[in-house]
Amino acid sequence: MTRHFTDIDDLSSDELAAVLNRAADYKEKQRAGIPHPDLERQTMGMLFQKPSTRTRVSFETGMTQLGGHAVFLGENDIQLGHGEPLKDTARALSGYVDAIMARVFEHANVEELARYATVPVINGLTDDAHPCQTLADLLTIREAFGGFEGTSVAWVGDANNVARSLALGCALTGVDLTVATPPEYALDDDVMEQAEALGPAPTVTDDPAEAVAGADVVYTDVWISMGQEDQRDYRLSAFEGFQVNGELLAGSDDARVMHCLPAHRGEEITDEVIENERSLVFEQAENRLHAQKGLLAWLLDE
């Protein structure tokens, strides 16, 4: 049976631990200059409706370091669901490549690719979920605190696709998550139910200071995502008071700071916070590479 990765809860707690362990091993080998061509001669097709710096470079570099190859298919190279039905694209690509990574708008598109593909399908990002980011986030938290037990995270801002996958990842690992958002931008009920079925459900509040108090990690993301530019003025007003800045962090003495990037410095987070010694932002960005290598090897190296 083909294994897919459409959201973080496609993995069990034990499988998630195995992926993170493999990621950590690859990171150690890379830094020691030890080759690890575990996916030699294997190829991944990368489908992009949404542009990206980190997703493309980390996956393409990761496949190269694992001894394989990645083929980039941008919006002008392949028309997902328009020029050809998705089920035909999935089956045709399955005859050429060993895995498919898709970064698209609609989550249903990744699910349909997975339904018809006979090779693993990886969600590189949809409007509903960003599980590859969650893998990197969890790897970063585990490194910073030596594990997950007793660790607490405060998410401040929009409960977007990154927050949704993070909520499931924290439930799987037992991390205590508090989500602070304006009421109309809170986590969906279905995400709360999914998290509760996996482990501890997130605590929800509309008070950023309450969420941050005593937290080990304070995490935020942009308030205006790709495709939401027409909502800019409304969203800036709605998220007033939710900026991660020095004043907010004063409520948590030693909290580390995370952001999945790209950041709109001066909006959801200040420049001084990203550049502060408490920031894990760029370790987190690097860990996209290692976490995805761990995932690819788990999916393909049987």
Side-chain angles (χ1 to χ4, degrees):
M1 181 176 172
T2 304
R3 297 182 291 197
H4 300 295
F5 187 65
T6 61
D7 207 344
I8 196 73
D9 60 341
D10 282 342
L11 302 175
S12 67
S13 294
D14 288 344
E15 289 168 340
L16 176 54
V19 169
L20 295 178
N21 287 341
R22 195 143 191 181
D25 181 60
Y26 282 139
K27 184 172 184 177
E28 186 176 335
K29 285 179 177 176
Q30 181 181 325
R31 292 193 167 183
I34 300 171
H36 41 279
D38 294 341
L39 301 183
E40 193 169 10
R41 297 192 177 185
Q42 298 202 49
T43 299
M44 176 174 59
M46 303 191 302
L47 312 184
F48 280 82
Q49 277 187 327
K50 287 187 172 186
S52 170
T53 301
R54 279 152 291 278
T55 298
R56 178 178 179 178
V57 176
S58 57
F59 267 114
E60 197 163 329
T61 301
M63 278 300 288
T64 300
Q65 291 179 356
L66 290 168
H69 177 62
V71 178
F72 175 82
L73 296 167
E75 193 173 16
N76 296 325
D77 301 312
I78 189 168
Q79 296 182 24
L80 287 180
H82 300 295
E84 178 179 63
L86 274 173
K87 59 185 178 181
D88 292 358
T89 300
R91 289 180 286 196
L93 284 177
S94 294
Y96 305 141
V97 302
D98 301 285
I100 298 168
M101 188 281 294
R103 182 180 172 92
V104 298
F105 287 96
E106 294 184 25
H107 192 77
N109 286 343
V110 166
E111 292 178 330
E112 186 164 4
L113 286 169
R115 190 174 303 119
Y116 289 97
T118 56
V119 299
V121 171
I122 297 169
N123 179 359
L125 176 141
T126 67
D127 285 345
D128 290 349
H130 198 354
C132 288
Q133 181 63 56
T134 299
L135 289 178
D137 296 341
L138 293 173
L139 181 60
T140 304
I141 292 168
R142 195 175 81 162
E143 288 176 344
F145 298 97
F148 298 120
E149 186 175 355
T151 304
S152 60
V153 176
W155 175 275
V156 178
D158 184 12
N160 58 13
N161 50 359
V162 177
R164 293 182 198 119
S165 290
L166 179 68
L168 303 184
C170 286
L172 279 167
T173 54
V175 171
D176 181 14
L177 175 65
T178 300
V179 178
T181 70
E184 63 184 297
Y185 295 101
L187 286 172
D188 298 335
D189 290 342
D190 60 340
V191 175
M192 294 293 290
E193 290 171 5
Q194 280 178 274
E196 191 169 4
L198 297 170
T203 300
V204 175
T205 179
D206 60 3
D207 184 346
E210 177 185 332
V212 167
D216 296 307
V217 174
V218 177
Y219 194 162
T220 191
D221 191 11
V222 294
W223 298 334
I224 304 156
S225 297
M226 195 180 304
Q228 298 174 337
E229 290 81 5
D230 60 337
Q231 304 173 34
R232 179 176 178 78
D233 291 344
Y234 183 83
R235 281 178 166 264
L236 288 178
S237 175
F239 287 103
E240 187 174 354
F242 283 81
Q243 184 185 74
V244 176
N245 52 33
E247 182 180 355
L248 182 65
L249 291 177
S252 188
D253 295 337
D254 300 314
R256 310 302 298 273
V257 175
M258 294 173 61
H259 192 303
C260 58
L261 299 179
H264 295 166
R265 299 186 186 214
E267 289 183 8
E268 77 279 357
I269 193 168
T270 60
D271 187 79
E272 67 169 336
V273 167
I274 288 185
E275 300 297 341
N276 192 278
E277 61 184 10
R278 293 165 66 173
S279 171
L280 291 170
V281 171
F282 295 102
E283 288 91 334
Q284 183 185 1
E286 179 189 339
N287 280 339
R288 285 290 303 276
L289 170 66
H290 309 300
Q292 287 159 189
K293 285 162 65 176
L295 174 67
L296 285 165
W298 184 80
L299 289 169
L300 297 172
D301 185 24
E302 302 200 13

